[in-house]
């Protein structure tokens, strides 16, 4: 089945630094990838929709200058948390749509990246 | 390897009961999640089980058997709005989520 990977799995950083998280579709192409944030035992909160070759679409309340998204290829999207602060500590999950299936409803989810900002 | 298996699609009738099964293999185990996802929307958290047994939450219940690597989501008194994809996800020893491909539930009147 379709596999989505994320790197790193977990990261600890100091307040004020920037952190880049990669999301890759390993065996399929994805024109659209999604970035979510999850708090413990809560629903995934959609942050932005990442489209290959164009600007990401951010959800209301998500600062685009703080959460930079780049979807440079059909298999890679990156989320950069700039000037991270402790309140940015969270579990970040990406998902990708498989172009090949033609089913625009199906998303494949990555394992998540746990960010801790000290 | 790590793996989550769940049926691709199920059909049920409005007012009935449906059980969606999920079997998992993870490196270590830190719980099992069920999410509901309507088309075009973000997944909504339904349940989290880390101990064996049944947890009931309104019309939805979730069951876990760690010895069997098995969970199910039980939906009662089905409503048309329950038509959605249901995602099973296991959390491994590194607190990473291993996702199933989702079960598309179709509710018919």
């Amino acid at each position: 089945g379709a596999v989505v990977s994320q790197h790193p799995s977990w990261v600890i950083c100091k307040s004020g630094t920037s952190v880049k998280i990669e999301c890759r579709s390993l065996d399929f192409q994805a024109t659209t990838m999604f970035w979510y944030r999850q708090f413990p035992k809560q629903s995934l909160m959609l942050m932005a929709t990442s489209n290959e070759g164009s600007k990401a679409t951010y959800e209301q309340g998500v600062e685009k200058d703080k959460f930079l998204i780049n979807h440079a290829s059909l298999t890679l999207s990156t989320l950069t948390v700039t000037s991270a602060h402790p309140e940015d500590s969270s579990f970040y999950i990406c998902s990708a749509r498989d172009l090949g299936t033609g089913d625009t409803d199906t998303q494949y989810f990555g394992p998540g990246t746990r960010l801790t900002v000290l | 390897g790590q793996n989550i298996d769940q049926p691709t699609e199920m059909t049920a009738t409005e007012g009935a009961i449906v059980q969606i099964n999920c079997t998992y293999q993870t490196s270590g185990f830190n719980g099992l999640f069920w999410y509901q996802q309507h088309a075009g929307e973000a997944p909504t958290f339904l349940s989290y089980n880390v101990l064996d047994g049944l947890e009931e939450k309104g019309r939805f219940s979730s069951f876990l058997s760690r010895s069997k690597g098995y969970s199910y989501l039980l939906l009662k008194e089905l409503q048309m709005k329950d038509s959605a994809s249901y995602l099973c996800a296991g959390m491994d020893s590194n607190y990473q989520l291993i996702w199933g491909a989702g079960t598309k539930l179709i509710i018919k009147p």
Side-chain angles (χ1 to χ4, degrees):
Chain A
V3 176
V4 174
S5 71
Q6 284 183 237
H7 177 80
S9 307
W10 57 269
V11 57
I12 301 172
C13 68
K14 291 182 180 179
S15 187
T17 60
S18 294
V19 175
K20 181 187 281 189
I21 302 170
E22 292 185 350
C23 176
R24 292 181 185 272
S25 56
L26 295 186
D27 48 4
F28 67 98
Q29 293 184 325
T31 55
T32 304
M33 290 184 173
F34 303 89
W35 285 97
Y36 297 91
R37 185 171 177 177
Q38 186 191 31
F39 296 98
K41 298 185 190 178
Q42 292 188 27
S43 302
L44 275 61
M45 183 193 79
L46 180 64
M47 298 174 65
T49 302
S50 167
N51 296 296
E52 187 266 337
S54 64
K55 290 183 179 179
T57 304
Y58 290 82
E59 296 299 302
Q60 194 170 12
V62 178
E63 297 176 61
K64 61 180 181 181
D65 294 330
K66 180 168 184 63
F67 298 99
L68 300 177
I69 291 172
N70 186 313
H71 194 155
S73 77
L74 286 172
T75 59
L76 173 64
S77 175
T78 59
L79 168 68
T80 301
V81 183
T82 62
S83 187
H85 291 286
E87 57 265 30
D88 299 324
S89 297
S90 192
F91 198 42
Y92 292 88
I93 299 171
C94 74
S95 71
R97 274 194 191 137
D98 185 346
L99 264 182
T101 63
D103 181 355
T104 57
D105 292 340
T106 301
Q107 294 179 32
Y108 297 96
F109 289 85
T113 297
R114 194 167 297 279
L115 171 64
T116 302
V117 184
L118 303 176
Chain B
Q2 306 197 93
N3 192 50
I4 301 279
D5 280 318
Q6 56 182 126
T8 305
E9 187 174 296
M10 298 182 71
T11 303
T13 305
E14 191 177 14
I17 299 173
V18 72
Q19 177 175 311
I20 303 174
N21 296 324
C22 170
T23 56
Y24 66 89
Q25 286 179 301
T26 57
S27 300
F29 181 71
N30 276 303
L32 190 122
F33 295 79
W34 282 98
Y35 294 90
Q36 178 192 61
Q37 186 177 28
H38 285 101
E41 298 180 13
T44 304
F45 171 80
L46 292 178
S47 67
Y48 170 71
N49 294 64
V50 69
L51 300 176
D52 290 348
L54 185 69
E55 293 212 3
E56 299 185 70
K57 206 184 283 187
R59 293 189 298 115
F60 293 5
S61 302
S62 58
F63 172 83
L64 176 69
S65 168
R66 288 173 297 171
S67 62
K68 295 181 180 178
Y70 168 69
S71 172
Y72 68 71
L73 180 70
L74 190 72
L75 292 78
K76 302 177 185 176
E77 300 168 20
L78 285 170
Q79 301 174 11
M80 297 302 292
K81 66 178 183 179
D82 297 329
S83 292
S85 282
Y86 291 85
L87 301 163
C88 173
M91 183 165 273
D92 68 13
S93 57
N94 293 319
Y95 297 94
Q96 296 270 277
L97 286 172
I98 314 302
W99 295 87
T103 298
K104 187 173 184 178
L105 178 63
I106 300 167
I107 309 296
K108 295 185 175 179

